[in-house]
Amino acid sequence: MSTYTVPFVINGEERRVEKTFDVTSPATGKVLHKCGIATEEDVVAAIAAAEIAGEKWRNSPAAERRDILLKAADIMDKRRDELAGYMMDEVGAQRGWADFNLNLVIDMYKDVAGRVGAIEGTVPPCQPGLTSIVVKEPYGVVLAIAPWNASYILGTRSVLFPIAAGCTVVFKGSETAPRTHRAIVSVLAEAGLPKGVVNYIVTDPAHASSVTEALIANMSVKKINFTGSTAVGRIIAKLAGQHLKPVVLELGGKAPAIVWEDANLDLAAEQTALGAFFFSGQICMSTERIIVHKKVSKAFQEKLLATLEKMFPSKGEALVLINANGVDKNKKLIKDALSKGASLLNGNIDAEESSKTRMRPIVVSKVTPDMDLYKTESFGPSVSLIEVESEEEALRIANDTEYGLTSAVFTEDLRVGLRIARGIETGAVHINNMTIHDEMTLPHGGAKASGYGRFNTLTGVEEWVRTKTITWRN
């Protein structure tokens, strides 16, 4: 077992505390290292450091911020093997998923670096005798909370957009991936980010509630971003509301993929399989419901099952989930559905795998609204298949959920695809592509209980500035 303990970073200095918790590998169950447990004392120190650093950082030249971000992109690429290793160890990621994270983050740094100088004010017309300007100013200290699953993507964006806008950050990392998230701060420090601009703390589940409340309640914290489950997002939003603080939330999903009667079924099978089971289905954008036209349902099912066997062979290793609870949740949802009349198309929920954190892809058909699987986000390797006969029925089922993050449509008729896309209440719709899609030129965020606010593009940067109106008498 490693004797390494993941430290906090406050005002550019590593901070080690007496109390720690073990961080274990979901793939092997072995202890990887330890991590410190932050308390309210660490919260106060981190916020104070961010507030002091903000006095200079908010007035830093756009070119200075740009150059730091560009350098961070280069460092991330040079340290690729090291950084990928942390993520593979802590969250059970395959190298492909780790590289997907790193590649997107490198692009993220470069894209945001080019947008730093695009924050502009205005000179609106005013009444006779007065002149006005509207300037955009950084909020100040931002609280950033990111999850473990897309560790580098979600962790980096939580701090990158605020610091690009001139804010400083207290980054509360995931207790599941603390070394991975610590590496994000390390990259920025190596790139020359001034001390105190990003401060990093982690705590264990037992202290998460008190530490988070202390962070949100502190008067110096001006805005919050949280990515994670809808259940926790509701708590964050409630706390923020009590203290009248704005929040950007990117929460859970129950993404539908509609396979229409004229779809390219080979493409649809490939993309829905990837969308449902990439990283064991532990992505907020994962395909949870395949809504297929009855005319092509049988042919599609045959192609889907063949694709699954090719991608995830039954004689290969089962997929790894972050913990045994994820496996138990999925099996419980599937058993409930089967007990109420659903059919198992692929997989065996009673299969014994090499560890309790492993599970193979499951496809369930004849899923109906009275089943828990119909509306509950599984966040694991299971997907529902539901047959429809009309666009109206497809849209009704696609929208019959509290979530609204992303979706997909498969059709060879762009007019049909666009018409269906306009009818789905989600933050994104991908025609002839899987539901998992994120790139820097596209705003990213959800509708309904999948959250509000946007990451990416200039919109993502301007989430972290507010307008100030200044007038003067001529």
Side-chain angles (χ1 to χ4, degrees):
M1 184 185 78
S2 171
T3 58
Y4 179 77
T5 299
V6 180
F8 309 148
V9 180
I10 297 177
N11 197 33
E13 305 295 330
E14 291 191 344
R15 182 182 180 114
R16 288 180 166 79
V17 293
E18 184 178 342
K19 292 185 177 180
T20 63
F21 63 92
D22 291 340
V23 180
T24 59
S25 163
T28 67
K30 295 180 180 179
V31 175
L32 296 167
H33 39 254
K34 295 181 179 294
C35 181
I37 298 174
T39 63
E40 291 182 36
E41 180 183 348
D42 303 300
V43 166
V44 172
I47 293 172
E51 193 166 28
I52 292 169
E55 295 172 8
K56 288 186 177 180
W57 184 248
R58 68 186 292 117
N59 295 313
S60 60
E64 178 186 348
R65 296 181 217 166
R66 177 200 65 204
D67 291 348
I68 290 170
L69 300 185
L70 290 174
K71 190 173 181 181
D74 290 339
I75 292 167
M76 205 136 202
D77 194 31
K78 289 175 183 175
R79 293 174 58 181
R80 177 182 292 271
D81 289 343
E82 170 205 350
L83 299 175
Y86 297 149
M87 187 174 173
M88 292 165 70
D89 286 344
E90 289 190 323
V91 305
Q94 296 292 321
R95 181 62 191 252
W97 178 233
D99 278 335
F100 180 91
N101 270 250
L102 292 168
N103 290 337
L104 187 57
V105 167
I106 290 166
D107 184 56
M108 190 186 300
Y109 275 123
K110 293 176 181 178
D111 182 274
V112 175
R115 299 183 190 275
V116 171
I119 301 172
E120 298 176 336
T122 58
V123 184
C126 217
Q127 65 189 55
L130 288 181
T131 302
S132 66
I133 59 172
V134 178
V135 297
K136 294 177 180 177
E137 298 181 337
Y139 268 88
V141 179
V142 168
L143 168 60
I145 306 176
W148 53 268
N149 55 334
S151 313
Y152 287 118
I153 296 171
L154 304 181
T156 299
R157 78 175 188 187
S158 76
V159 302
L160 174 56
F161 289 97
I163 65 174
C167 297
T168 54
V169 176
V170 176
F171 176 23
K172 179 180 175 291
S174 168
E175 73 278 5
T176 305
R179 194 168 192 178
T180 308
H181 281 165
R182 164 71 180 88
I184 295 169
V185 183
S186 169
V187 166
L188 286 166
E190 188 178 341
L193 189 71
K195 292 181 178 181
V197 175
V198 174
N199 304 275
Y200 179 64
I201 61 172
V202 188
T203 196
D204 66 340
H207 294 82
S209 178
S210 61
V211 166
T212 303
E213 286 187 34
L215 285 162
I216 294 173
N218 191 292
M219 289 184 64
S220 296
V221 172
K222 298 300 194 295
K223 191 168 180 176
I224 302 146
N225 74 71
F226 171 82
T227 301
S229 71
T230 294
V232 177
R234 293 185 199 278
I235 297 169
I236 299 293
K238 182 177 180 180
L239 289 169
Q242 289 172 350
H243 296 281
L244 298 177
K245 296 183 180 181
V247 193
V248 174
L249 297 172
E250 202 247 87
L251 308 175
K254 190 72 178 172
I258 297 175
V259 180
W260 209 236
E261 60 183 314
D262 65 339
N264 178 328
L265 297 184
D266 290 311
L267 176 67
E270 174 196 71
Q271 292 295 302
T272 53
L274 280 172
F277 303 113
F278 194 27
F279 192 46
S280 308
Q282 299 173 120
I283 304 171
C284 52
M285 297 178 281
S286 292
T287 303
E288 295 251 345
R289 295 171 295 155
I290 301 172
I291 301 168
V292 59
H293 197 287
K294 196 170 185 177
K295 288 182 179 178
V296 296
S297 181
K298 183 178 179 181
F300 171 75
Q301 289 179 40
E302 291 173 355
K303 291 180 181 293
L304 177 62
L305 297 183
T307 301
L308 289 175
E309 180 60 30
K310 183 178 179 181
M311 289 184 178
F312 311 100
S314 54
K315 293 184 179 179
E317 280 278 12
L319 301 175
V320 178
L321 277 73
I322 193 66
N323 54 41
N325 291 338
V327 173
D328 293 341
K329 176 184 177 181
N330 274 262
K331 288 187 174 183
K332 183 178 179 181
L333 289 171
I334 295 158
K335 286 179 179 178
D336 172 78
L338 295 178
S339 72
K340 295 173 181 176
S343 297
L344 197 63
L345 289 181
N346 187 78
N348 176 7
I349 58 172
D350 296 318
E352 292 288 334
E353 304 298 347
S354 59
S355 75
K356 292 183 179 181
T357 59
R358 292 180 182 269
M359 183 176 174
R360 297 181 188 276
I362 297 285
V363 182
V364 184
S365 66
K366 300 178 183 177
V367 175
T368 56
D370 63 315
M371 301 171 187
D372 294 339
L373 185 62
Y374 182 84
K375 289 188 177 180
T376 302
E377 180 183 24
S378 69
F379 207 69
S382 60
V383 67
S384 304
L385 192 145
I386 303 169
E387 293 182 347
V388 295
E389 296 185 74
S390 68
E391 281 187 32
E392 293 76 16
E393 188 181 9
L395 286 171
R396 178 183 61 77
I397 293 171
N399 291 325
D400 189 18
T401 170
E402 66 172 332
Y403 300 106
L405 186 57
T406 186
S407 55
V409 181
F410 294 89
T411 174
E412 292 296 280
D413 188 333
L414 184 58
R415 292 171 298 179
V416 172
L418 290 172
R419 186 169 64 241
I420 293 174
R422 294 295 296 271
I424 303 176
E425 194 175 0
T426 54
V429 184
H430 305 293
I431 299 174
N432 293 331
N433 272 307
M434 64 175 165
T435 55
I436 302 169
H437 191 101
D438 186 18
E439 58 182 292
M440 294 310 301
T441 56
L442 303 174
H444 183 76
K448 302 190 288 189
S450 289
Y452 41 79
R454 292 294 183 264
F455 291 98
N456 299 354
T457 72
L458 185 59
T459 301
V461 178
E462 293 203 332
E463 284 280 3
W464 307 101
V465 294
R466 55 191 172 196
T467 60
K468 176 181 283 184
T469 299
I470 303 172
T471 68
W472 64 91
R473 190 184 296 272
N474 295 335

